[in-house]
Amino acid sequence: MHAHAVTAAAVAALGAAVLLSPDSSSDARFVRAAQPTVIAHRGASAYAPENTLAAIDKAAKLGFSWVENDVQRTKDGRLVVIHDDNLARTTNVEDVFPGRAPWKVKDFTSAEIAKLDAGSWFSPDYAGARVPTLERYMRQVERNHEKLLLEVKNPELYPGIEAQILKTLSNEGWLNGTHRNRLIVQSFSADSLRTVHQLKPALTTGYLGRPAEDELSGYARFTDLINPSYADISASYVSNVHALKGPHGKHLRLFTWTVNDAATARQVRDYGVDGIITNKPDVVRTALSTS
Ligand code: G3P
Ligand code: CA
């Protein structure tokens, strides 16, 4: 453990209206932000259909700059933004292509997916929303001046998807200096994340999950963040994450998910988390500002 790690309690005692550690020198202490970053999960997905352009527009309207998404690949090799490995829950695929069960994303072409309604399942107000391609999605993130926590979803189904995602991000201008600071790539797959780090070492990465404390230093070779479920963390775990430094010489950070109520938001804030991933960013913001 880092000798100078500052605990959440110590920071609170300092009454710190503080910033992240200002530099990455070897003895810089971890100092947490005054409040965690709030990330709109699959967009503001409590209020608009998840992973659609409408969901990131809604996050922007609510005043949030960070959004999260999930990226997978179609039969003809296009990257699309969708959470499940099949299209049934969040589109009308069963009506449009009734003979194509189990409706896997990887078994449909991008032209077929473009025909699907990805909004009506959520509300008639969003009828006609589409499953976005990653290119289209990135352009909307840019238009909204947002920042993106991009999840490589089910990478075991899509060999080579990491390089393909990086190519798309590069084509869209997201791998240069300023944009890179508005981007984090995360995955539940350590192998996938290691690949991303090897292909583009400058990029910020996040591992989705809760490695055992004695395994964290291994993850710190390729990931800048550890992003566990809120049910799996404690103040001590967060502090142990913060004590380590990642591949860019900065203390590891921790974003937790998926926190949709005020009490849990305050609890994880008090644990010292750096980010809260939520379907209801407005609820989390209010919770953090009223206690
Ligand atoms: O960003 C955290 C969260 O998205 C991970 O779980 O299943 O919602 O992608 P899931
Ligand atoms: Ca996700």
Side-chain angles (χ1 to χ4, degrees), residues 52-86:
T52 63
L53 302 185
I56 60 175
D57 290 350
K58 183 66 180 174
K61 280 200 191 87
L62 290 169
F64 294 91
S65 57
W66 275 98
V67 294
E68 190 260 6
N69 75 359
D70 304 282
V71 178
Q72 304 194 62
R73 192 163 68 198
T74 66
K75 185 178 183 181
D76 56 335
R78 296 289 299 277
L79 298 174
V80 286
V81 177
I82 188 166
H83 177 271
D84 298 1
D85 70 358
N86 71 84

Side-chain angles (χ1 to χ4, degrees), residues 88-123:
R89 180 178 61 86
T90 58
T91 76
N92 61 344
V93 70
E94 293 176 75
D95 296 331
V96 179
F97 298 104
R100 300 273 296 274
W103 300 289
K104 297 283 183 188
V105 174
K106 69 179 175 56
D107 295 335
F108 283 77
T109 66
S110 54
E112 288 170 337
I113 290 174
K115 291 182 184 147
L116 303 177
D117 181 338
S120 291
W121 70 275
F122 184 85
S123 154

Side-chain angles (χ1 to χ4, degrees), residues 12-284:
L14 288 168
V18 289
L19 302 169
L20 288 172
S21 183
D23 63 51
S24 58
S25 61
S26 60
D27 61 350
R29 297 180 304 172
F30 179 84
V31 180
R32 71 177 162 107
Q35 293 286 8
T37 299
V38 179
I39 301 102
H41 182 235
R42 312 181 196 169
S45 58
Y47 312 120
E50 65 183 57
N51 279 323
T52 63
L53 302 185
I56 60 175
D57 290 350
K58 183 66 180 174
K61 280 200 191 87
L62 290 169
F64 294 91
S65 57
W66 275 98
V67 294
E68 190 260 6
N69 75 359
D70 304 282
V71 178
Q72 304 194 62
R73 192 163 68 198
T74 66
K75 185 178 183 181
D76 56 335
R78 296 289 299 277
L79 298 174
V80 286
V81 177
I82 188 166
H83 177 271
D84 298 1
D85 70 358
N86 71 84
L87 296 149
R89 180 178 61 86
T90 58
T91 76
N92 61 344
V93 70
E94 293 176 75
D95 296 331
V96 179
F97 298 104
R100 300 273 296 274
W103 300 289
K104 297 283 183 188
V105 174
K106 69 179 175 56
D107 295 335
F108 283 77
T109 66
S110 54
E112 288 170 337
I113 290 174
K115 291 182 184 147
L116 303 177
D117 181 338
S120 291
W121 70 275
F122 184 85
S123 154
D125 294 345
Y126 291 100
R130 299 294 161 195
V131 175
T133 63
L134 181 59
E135 285 100 333
R136 180 69 188 87
Y137 186 95
M138 295 313 298
R139 287 171 198 169
Q140 198 72 7
V141 171
E142 178 71 2
R143 196 168 294 161
N144 292 342
H145 307 290
E146 290 174 315
K147 306 173 189 179
L148 179 62
L149 179 57
L150 183 157
E151 181 178 346
V152 187
K153 184 57 102 187
N154 301 319
E156 62 285 355
L157 298 179
Y158 313 109
I161 194 171
E162 298 83 7
Q164 190 177 358
I165 289 172
L166 293 175
K167 180 85 167 64
T168 300
L169 292 171
S170 175
N171 290 346
E172 296 299 318
W174 277 81
L175 296 188
N176 66 34
T178 49
H179 279 78
R180 214 169 51 223
N181 296 332
R182 292 162 51 196
L183 177 67
I184 299 170
V185 175
Q186 66 172 0
S187 184
F188 283 106
S189 164
D191 286 344
S192 183
L193 214 55
R194 227 180 263 112
T195 300
V196 169
H197 177 65
Q198 282 162 3
L199 291 171
K200 192 71 187 172
L203 206 51
T204 304
T205 53
Y207 175 70
L208 278 164
R210 185 202 184 280
E213 268 106 329
D214 61 0
E215 292 177 0
L216 282 170
S217 59
Y219 285 79
R221 295 197 191 103
F222 60 88
T223 192
D224 303 277
L225 292 96
I226 300 290
N227 297 347
S229 162
Y230 73 86
D232 293 338
I233 62 172
S234 61
S236 139
Y237 188 80
V238 175
S239 177
N240 286 336
V241 168
H242 286 161
L244 292 165
K245 288 188 176 178
H248 301 106
K250 295 182 180 173
H251 291 277
L252 294 188
R253 291 180 289 152
L254 185 147
F255 288 1
T256 194
W257 48 272
T258 303
V259 175
N260 294 324
D261 67 277
T264 309
R266 292 190 190 110
Q267 181 182 55
V268 298
R269 185 270 315 274
D270 293 345
Y271 287 166
V273 305
D274 307 287
I276 299 178
I277 301 168
T278 172
N279 301 343
K280 298 180 177 178
D282 54 335
V283 169
V284 171

